[in-house]
Amino acid sequence: MDQLFDVSLFASTLRMITPILLAALGGALCARVGLFNVGLEGLILIGAFSAIVGNHLTGSVWLAVLFAIVCVLVFSLLLAYMAIHLKANVIVVGISLNFLALGLTTFSLRAIFDVKGAYYDKSMVGLPKWDIPLIKDIPWVGDVVSGHSPLVYLSIVLVACLQYYLFKTVSGFRLLAAGQNPVAARSLGIKVTHIQYGAVLMCGVLCGLAGAQLSLGQVTMFTEGMTAGRGFIALVATMLGQSNPLGVAGASLLFGFMDALSTRLQGYALPVHFTMMLPYVVTIIAMFFFKDKSYLAEARKANESSR
Amino acid sequence: MDKLKGILGALMQPLLAIIVGLGAGAIAIAIVGGSITETYAEMWKGAFGSFYFFTNTLSRATPIMLIGLGVALAFRAGFFNMGSEGQMVLGALSAAVTAIYLPGPAWLKLVAALLAGVIAGGLWSAFAGWLDARFRMNLLITTLLLNYIASLFAGYVVSYPLMDRSGSAAMAQTVMVDKSVWLPKLFQGMSLHAGFLFALIGAIALAWFMRYMVKGYEIRMMGGNPLFASYGGVNRGRLMLYSMFVSGGFAGLAGAGEVLGTQYRYLDGALTSPGYAWSGIMATLLAGSNPLGTALAAILLAALQTGGMGVERNTDVPLEVSSIIQAVLILFISAKFTYSFFKKKKKAGA
């Protein structure tokens, strides 16, 4: 047991949750303005791929992250335009965006790097690891908390920022109002459409960061479909956390821990299939225990309009 | 005249989407430096070029059609069933296990295997429906998560307890189904098997059911206006269980058909990597959940995929160009709602 739950398990938990957390925060913003964004998976995938492309083109990690954000922004703009302007069903648009992302990234992988399956370049540098002064000297905590990529810390800061923004600022209240009752918000002169666009675009930025962390944060490579359902787990984290940044962070922590644990358990006699199943099973169990009826009702509304 | 206009109006949107999709594909082809006309000519040849390629396309369309029909039924009732992949995998696994290990005459094995596929797929799907109806767990999410669980479970079964250790290849697969239990081929030497007939019959039966049966009306009512449906005495929970079971049953049948008609064994990843389930969902979206339309859309998508393989064989353009065309197609078809929305608005104004 001691070997199982050692320091590196918790450290890798922190690394694993970052993509999920970033995307889930974006999903929470979208959910707050009444758009149930199923396209998170695709947006992260595009982010992961474009980060690698940016790194390949510019040779700079930071420009690569920026490039990823810009690319994902374009796609989230497409989603926003279809869903808000053309009033297409958000879920359908999200699903087709996932298809598009999968097709486009595999196609571009062939077109740009001329490889199939995965792209890996030894000379490519990933995101740097930051040691936090003072904290890194505390025995256990230092090993867990220190030495991660900047995006890991950024995601934690973002949780606090978003929590403050949504529940303490006027602009945040407007955003909440736009989602809760668009008609009333509009009658008060709040530009609901603008707010919705803003939320979807912000979600794009967050998904771009999530993708960059996925492909540049730990492995510095891109594999076809490397998101492997993380976008959907982020969606669940959004729901479990009831679109509340702190709640979302808590839910992401649970999944990140399961993810890290499942990787760790593979070293034991358990068949890989069962350890890989763990995050999904735990997610379903968690859904059973944590549910907010009012939020589910909202999701259900979006769910039921299949045409 | 009005009827003709109506049909033309209904066809306009899909045609427009197809044109936009092909346009997007053309841009992608131009970017990688291929010849657009040559690539599309190869795509057409790869899909319909000869009778052999045509039957190939139809055999690829078979699972897509069946899955699409199941999803269409669920969509019509207003339930987003995203779990076709898991339902298909479990259906395929149960069909393979039944066909291999059930004693008895061959015809009994075949029927039992097909039934086992339907039941396994249906139960897995109804389980998600039950979680929603009983515990209010969002169906969209549970079905998605159950996909991963089903695929991993099936992967475990064929890599450990039921793995085929007779051959030299260490593939994760079951032993081969006996030749007498195979689904018959429709044409000598072609890959098209009897499963295609199931898909055709299924499409017609589902269209008839939705149009003329009381339950079909209830399903449409539930999808169109849940409040009105419950006011009219439709039990949402029970309807959800039924329609999810049938929906998953179609997916299970698709898996069983692939095992008994094409692969003759359960091979890990053979059903998930071609993305049959997602193509089925795309076909449903493309056809607006109309059963007969779904069958046609499934053939169109299968043609794009087999055509893409032709492109990859004969040109330098990657196969994935067809998945871009498919995705753009769906993206633009989703704007259909708007199209009719604006028309309605105009009418109301006038």
Side-chain angles (χ1 to χ4, degrees), chain B residues 253-314:
Chain B
L253 183 61
E258 283 306 285
V259 162
L260 299 170
T262 309
Q263 272 138 11
Y264 311 123
R265 55 169 30 130
Y266 181 84
L267 171 64
D268 194 26
L271 293 173
T272 46
S273 51
Y276 289 134
W278 293 107
S279 300
I281 291 170
M282 286 212 244
T284 309
L285 293 176
L286 203 58
S289 305
N290 178 320
L292 297 177
T294 303
L296 278 180
I299 294 175
L300 172 74
L301 292 181
L304 274 173
Q305 291 164 8
T306 49
M309 291 172 201
V311 167
E312 178 138 295
R313 272 196 304 272
N314 300 319

Side-chain angles (χ1 to χ4, degrees), chain A residues 7-60:
Chain A
V7 173
S8 70
L9 177 74
F10 292 98
S12 67
T13 298
L14 212 55
R15 259 201 320 272
M16 299 266 187
I17 65 160
T18 307
I20 297 175
L21 176 58
L22 285 167
L25 287 175
L29 273 177
C30 286
R32 284 287 181 187
V33 296
L35 296 168
F36 197 60
N37 191 351
V38 194
L40 291 179
E41 174 94 357
L43 293 177
I44 306 174
L45 194 62
I46 290 169
F49 181 72
S50 46
I52 289 286
V53 173
N55 201 344
H56 176 76
L57 291 178
T58 62
S60 151

Side-chain angles (χ1 to χ4, degrees), chain B residues 100-113:
Chain B
I100 294 167
Y101 297 102
L102 188 82
W107 64 268
L108 181 75
K109 279 191 197 178
L110 182 62
V111 173

